[in-house]
Amino acid sequence: MIPAEQAATLPLRFQIGARTLARIDRRLWLVPLSLADALEARLPALPPLGRTNDGYLVTSLPVERAAALAWTAGGLIAFERQRYTRHWIDLTIGADAYLARLSGNTRSAIKRKTRKLAEASGGTLEIARFRTPDELAAFHPLARAVSATTYQERLMDAGLPDTAAFRTRAALQAAAGEVRAWLLSIAGTPVAYLFCPVEKGTVLYQYLGHDPAFNDLSPGAVLQMAATRDLLEEGGLQRFDFTEGEGQHKRQFATDGVPCVDLLLLRGTLANRAALASLRVFDGGAAAAKRAVQRLGLEEWARKVRR
């Protein structure tokens, strides 16, 4: 059985890129599927809904299982919140095979970005690796300084947490060998970070960001390549999981992917029907706008506006 989180008040976001324009709160059971669940096309068992809850949000559900889950949840309205490929890297194939799996354009772009960043740093580019509890204690304040500048923290509340609970959990993970982290610095100043828990041989793409002042130098891509090389050379790991959602960065670095949907299952109340109707209109308009931007070649401009 795939475990569910506790039911909680969760926002249904009216969102363009990283920007949330509005939200409607509903009390939902969150049922997240892991990459292994998605690859094996497991159908989650939904917990009892309870009288005070509005429904379920099932994430990373394999596309081919969506109709079956909607049928088993009879009486609830099924609404596809987003469809995406859950991308991942096969860490068992070795560095040479990995590079061969990347497109020629991606390999050239990574080399160009790495060279450009190295030249701009004047020989002061440094990438540090962190695994032990003491190393994580040193990593956290440096990465937090970067996180405070990022759009992930400003717009999505998804920056590196700055709490005692997070630091304690990270120390315990590190003591068990279940965390990998990296920090890219120029002239001693942290510019980009990546923090990844490890669960049963799968490395999770959890917290990341770079200082927007260095956007033109692509430090995030350079750091991702360095981290991927480290993991491929380490051995004993199975996958690097880019987790939920799409993104050019994920598509460029991934070797594989599984088509997924995030599925809302809501009681058929008048309020819920109105909320879903609003989301359907908004999502349809956003999709039409995205197609227009792609047709006009304005993706880079749109990305800057969203952030």
Side-chain angles (χ1 to χ4, degrees), residues 16 280-296:
I16 300 291
R280 188 174 291 110
V281 171
F282 180 85
D283 288 350
K290 182 178 180 180
R291 289 192 296 270
V293 166
Q294 292 172 338
R295 187 170 61 251
L296 296 172

Side-chain angles (χ1 to χ4, degrees), residues 4-27:
E5 304 283 349
Q6 290 293 321
T9 299
L10 299 175
L12 305 182
R13 300 181 188 275
F14 295 76
Q15 194 165 338
I16 300 291
R19 292 187 179 275
T20 298
L21 305 181
R23 56 184 281 175
I24 299 173
D25 290 338
R26 287 292 180 269
R27 189 163 179 81

Side-chain angles (χ1 to χ4, degrees), residues 2 115 123 127 137 201 219 232:
I2 297 165
R115 184 172 58 252
I127 296 177
L232 288 162

